[in-house]
Structure formats: structure tokens, C-alpha cells
Amino acid sequence: MHLLSMRLIKHITFIFLSVVLLFSTSFVYASSNGSNTLSHIDIDGNEDFDALTDGLLILRNLFGLSGDSAIAGAVAGDAVYKTPEEIESRIAALGVRIDIDDNGELDALTDGLIILRYLFGLTGDTLTANVVADNAQRSSASAIESYMTQLTILNAPPSFTSSSSFSADENQLSIGTVTAT
């Protein structure tokens, strides 16, 4: 009887944690469309990924420009977000997602140029030539293109990373850890 109770508790725990995970990811996904987080690089909000607007806005921001000088001539006519404060807030909401080469630094001459080149339609070695940081964790053209594809999808679902498996084995005491972004 005791063994049956333990199995039942483990399965109930698994179901409970699954429901919590589903609720948590729904909340994270819903909030990713809000003002605190941003999952894509459509900075001006016109549902178009454009080098001369979105790319230039990010590049100027990474160079440290702010206010009117950061947005002058770079906001689309059909933009939803037009003020320097709105634009800066949206770029800030991207956080480390715009660390394209994944070296732990946001840099105009690496990350900013890669974003700009990608939005101009460059691929392969032309996309990455002479702009990937020496200490980059994401350095191949294919890895960078794949990552940029994720940043150019509107309303992308959350991505999950896991530190362990998620089976409900009979004697399993721990289910695992999930991070949703």
C-alpha cells in the first residue's frame, strides 16, 4: 500500500508541475507581447523588419545615441512606436537577445552590424565577415542566421531550454528545470 501511495504522489506531483509549467509559459508568452519584453526586432512596431528603420535604430542605440539623434530619419512612416522614449524602451526590452554573436557584450560593431546586414538580406560568409567577436559563442554564419530568424518572427512562441529530461519514471524524484524565454 505504501508503494502505491508513493507512486500516486509522484504522478500527482508531475501533473501539478506540468500545469504550473503550462500556466507559467502562457504568462511568459503573454507578457512577451507587452512592453517589458520583446521577442523580435521590429523596433518601430510596423510589422516589417527593415534594415533602414529597425536595423538602423538598433545600431544607433548600440553606438550610444539617444533622443532625437537616435531616431532622426530612421522611423518608418507607418510606425506604431515613434518617440525616442518608445524606441529606446523597445530596444532595452530586447536585452541580451541582441547579443547576436553571444559573447556577453552588446556591441554596435559586431551585433549591430550583423543585424543590419541580415536585414539587408545578406547571408553566409557575407553576413559574418569581419564582424563576429573573437570570443563569440555563436560564430558560424548558419548559427547566426538561425538565431536571426528567431528574432524576425512576430509573436514567436516561447522557446524552452531544459537541464534534464521530463519523464514520469516510476522512481523519479525530480522532474527537471525549464526556462522559457
Side-chain angles (χ1 to χ4, degrees):
M1 180 82 165
H2 180 65
L3 183 59
L4 182 61
S5 299
M6 291 302 293
R7 286 183 184 167
L8 183 59
I9 289 171
K10 288 179 186 175
H11 288 286
I12 290 172
T13 301
F14 176 76
I15 291 169
F16 173 76
L17 290 175
S18 297
V19 169
V20 168
L21 177 64
L22 286 173
F23 174 77
S24 298
T25 57
S26 296
F27 176 75
V28 167
Y29 178 64
S31 69
S32 72
N33 295 320
S35 61
N36 294 334
T37 61
L38 192 61
S39 62
H40 54 76
I41 58 173
D42 176 21
I43 303 304
D44 59 12
N46 66 349
E47 298 188 0
D48 186 26
F49 299 100
D50 189 310
L52 295 176
T53 57
D54 306 306
L56 194 52
L57 291 167
I58 292 171
L59 186 66
R60 287 178 179 179
N61 180 274
L62 291 175
F63 270 121
L65 296 176
S66 61
D68 290 335
S69 62
I71 68 164
V75 177
D78 61 345
V80 175
Y81 306 100
K82 300 176 181 183
T83 69
E85 296 79 20
E86 290 172 325
I87 299 297
E88 290 169 17
S89 174
R90 288 181 57 84
I91 294 171
L94 284 165
V96 297
R97 285 184 217 60
I98 57 174
D99 178 13
I100 307 303
D101 59 7
D102 193 24
N103 71 337
E105 298 175 33
L106 298 178
D107 187 334
L109 296 176
T110 58
D111 307 307
L113 289 177
I114 292 170
I115 292 169
L116 196 63
R117 287 179 180 186
Y118 183 83
L119 293 177
F120 271 123
L122 301 178
T123 59
D125 291 336
T126 310
L127 173 64
T128 59
N130 302 314
V131 294
V132 176
D134 292 336
N135 61 342
Q137 299 298 307
R138 188 181 300 116
S139 58
S140 72
S142 62
I144 288 175
E145 286 178 45
S146 176
Y147 186 73
M148 287 301 303
T149 298
Q150 294 174 26
L151 291 176
T152 53
I153 297 173
L154 294 171
N155 299 323
S159 62
F160 298 96
T161 56
S162 167
S163 63
S164 60
S165 65
F166 287 91
S167 65
D169 293 339
E170 190 172 327
N171 295 318
Q172 185 172 335
L173 297 176
S174 171
I175 294 179
T177 302
V178 170
T179 303
T181 55

